Amino acid sequence: MRFLDKLKTITEQNNSLLCVGLDPDLSKMPEHLQAQDDRVFAFNCGIIDATHDLVCAYKIQVAFYSAFTKEHELMATIDHIRDHYPQIPIILDAKRNDIGNTATFYAKEAFERYKVHAVTVNPYMGFDSMQPFFEYKDKGVMVLCRTSNPGARDLQDLKVNGKPLYLYVTQKVLGDWNINGNAFPIVGATYPKEIAEMRAIAGDTPFLVPGIGAQGGDIEATVRSGINSVGTGLIINSSRTILYASKGKDYAEAARKAAEQTRDQINQFRPK
């Protein structure tokens, strides 16, 4: 099944635009898990099992695993989702980018080693550095357009052909680069005006939207700025607010409560 079809199906099934980011910080994990050799996997399983009926996707930031040689627990986490909740798309947040030959192997890493359904990429080196990802026609390729961090303005506001760079890149994502219909923009929830500008040129194309919760993005502004004509079109990611709702043995239950509240807040501003 193509990523876009998988996303549409789970969005309807769970009535959700919420994506939970599985970004385990070893220093913030519950005390009762700290002694376990597989504490990252155990923590993730608790979150996944508690929230699987509330999400439209899981996003996994690879740095939280590779920094501590936890790639085997990253793989185990992906396998857990695929085995128990195969209807849920998995996005590998890797922001890969390099010359074509190297990009080919980055694409293999994401789609053949980890077998995820989508990956994030950085467009700074141009189309040929992303082409190997686009060639996996059933996979989603999420392209950075307007990022959620304050420093986004350093480059992304610069004018290219009379328009801000983030809009120029968005048009490329939707146009020339979208050779197989599997390219999707990334835009931060911290920039609702820019979300609205991107939606105006994107039609119903889904956006990956990080930045609510701990990063300060406003849910109402995000939804009202970015919702598409059918009341979807957003994959709104939240990580820390949900993962660390509790540091006790009830962490999974607390995560479920936080995820449910976030999903319901998002749905509150979707058209009825």
Side-chain angles (χ1 to χ4, degrees):
M1 181 184 291
R2 287 174 63 91
F3 170 76
L4 187 58
D5 297 325
K6 195 174 190 73
L7 177 66
K8 180 180 179 182
T9 299
I10 193 64
T11 296
E12 293 176 354
Q13 178 180 317
N14 285 352
N15 188 30
S16 179
L17 303 181
L18 173 66
C19 173
V20 170
L22 298 173
D23 304 342
D25 184 334
L26 298 183
S27 68
K28 295 180 179 179
M29 284 191 179
E31 186 66 30
H32 73 283
L33 295 178
Q34 290 291 354
Q36 293 186 209
D37 289 339
D38 66 343
R39 60 191 182 277
V40 168
F41 175 60
F43 176 79
N44 284 346
C45 285
I47 299 293
I48 294 162
D49 292 344
T51 62
H52 66 91
D53 59 331
L54 301 172
V55 304
C56 69
Y58 288 109
K59 181 173 75 67
I60 302 176
Q61 169 49 259
V62 69
F64 286 85
Y65 302 83
S66 59
F68 300 100
T69 64
K70 296 290 186 181
E71 288 91 345
H72 61 294
E73 294 188 68
L74 166 59
M75 183 76 80
T77 297
I78 292 169
D79 287 344
H80 182 78
I81 299 170
R82 292 178 62 89
D83 291 344
H84 295 277
Y85 313 107
Q87 72 277 18
I88 301 177
I90 305 165
I91 302 168
L92 188 70
D93 192 358
K95 300 182 178 70
R96 298 303 194 200
N97 180 274
D98 214 313
I99 63 170
N101 185 52
T102 305
T104 296
F105 288 95
Y106 276 142
K108 285 181 178 291
E109 174 198 36
F111 297 139
E112 296 184 29
R113 179 188 179 191
Y114 290 125
K115 297 182 172 64
V116 296
H117 305 102
V119 68
T120 61
V121 299
N122 187 325
Y124 191 75
M125 291 178 66
F127 175 74
D128 62 321
S129 68
M130 297 177 288
Q131 186 171 2
F133 296 92
F134 294 132
E135 289 175 354
Y136 288 81
K137 297 179 182 181
D138 62 332
K139 304 296 187 180
V141 183
M142 309 286 191
V143 184
L144 295 172
C145 293
R146 180 53 155 177
T147 57
S148 58
N149 58 307
R153 297 191 183 282
D154 292 349
L155 296 178
Q156 294 164 26
D157 281 356
L158 297 176
K159 294 295 177 67
V160 178
N161 294 341
K163 66 188 68 173
L165 178 60
Y166 64 85
L167 282 184
Y168 181 84
V169 174
T170 301
Q171 289 180 320
K172 285 288 190 182
V173 172
L174 301 169
D176 296 347
W177 295 345
N178 199 17
I179 53 175
N180 288 312
N182 60 344
F184 306 94
I186 301 173
V187 54
T190 45
Y191 294 102
K193 180 180 76 69
E194 287 84 341
I195 296 175
E197 291 174 337
M198 291 170 59
R199 176 56 69 202
I201 63 174
D204 288 338
T205 299
F207 297 164
L208 175 61
V209 186
I212 66 166
Q215 291 188 59
D218 182 77
I219 290 176
E220 179 178 2
T222 296
V223 175
R224 294 195 186 282
S225 298
I227 205 77
N228 68 12
S229 69
V230 293
T232 60
L234 297 171
I235 307 166
I236 302 175
N237 184 77
S238 180
S239 300
R240 284 168 282 179
T241 299
I242 292 172
L243 298 187
Y244 310 118
S246 170
K247 293 185 180 180
K249 292 184 177 181
D250 66 337
Y251 81 95
E253 293 84 352
R256 177 177 178 83
K257 184 177 180 180
E260 189 168 22
Q261 289 175 340
T262 304
R263 183 198 65 172
D264 291 348
Q265 277 185 284
I266 292 169
N267 285 345
Q268 178 183 348
F269 302 110
R270 296 172 66 188
K272 306 301 181 185

